[in-house]
Amino acid sequence: MQTEKPAFYCDYRKALEHPGVDVVTIGTPDHWHTKILIDAVRAGKDVYVEKPMSLTIDEGKIVGKVVKEMGRVVQVGTQQRSEYDGTF
């Protein structure tokens, strides 16, 4: 049974420094997705990011390059498809 309280960070970059963090889920406003994704991958973390992964084609190319260089796993998805009682 785990008795420690989870850590709370006001700056996501501090969470990326934690050696016990293996994967990051990004559900921030869209304009932050690319920056946090690249920072997480460069910190050696795998990432699940809600769509859109990026706002431009150029951002997407940069993400692809960094992910390939770092050898990390990135998955893009949408929570909306699994919500609303099967409406979608």
Side-chain angles (χ1 to χ4, degrees):
M1 181 174 163
Q2 185 176 359
T3 57
E4 288 184 42
K5 290 184 178 181
F8 177 83
Y9 301 95
C10 292
D11 185 334
Y12 75 90
R13 294 170 295 190
K14 293 292 181 190
L16 296 179
E17 294 173 3
H18 193 288
V21 174
D22 298 320
V23 66
V24 175
T25 299
I26 302 171
T28 60
D30 297 352
H31 65 278
W32 280 103
H33 290 187
T34 299
K35 168 77 171 124
I36 297 172
L37 190 159
I38 289 172
D39 288 348
V41 168
R42 286 189 174 146
K45 314 302 181 187
D46 295 323
V47 177
Y48 172 85
V49 60
E50 291 184 353
K51 71 173 206 158
M53 178 189 73
S54 62
L55 296 179
T56 68
I57 293 171
D58 287 338
E59 283 181 353
K61 288 178 180 180
I62 293 167
V63 167
K65 182 178 181 225
V66 172
V67 170
K68 186 174 182 178
E69 287 173 359
M70 299 303 296
R72 303 313 311 174
V73 174
V74 173
Q75 179 179 348
V76 182
T78 176
Q79 289 301 111
Q80 185 182 41
R81 299 292 183 214
S82 59
E83 294 177 359
Y84 306 113
D85 215 16
T87 302
F88 290 94

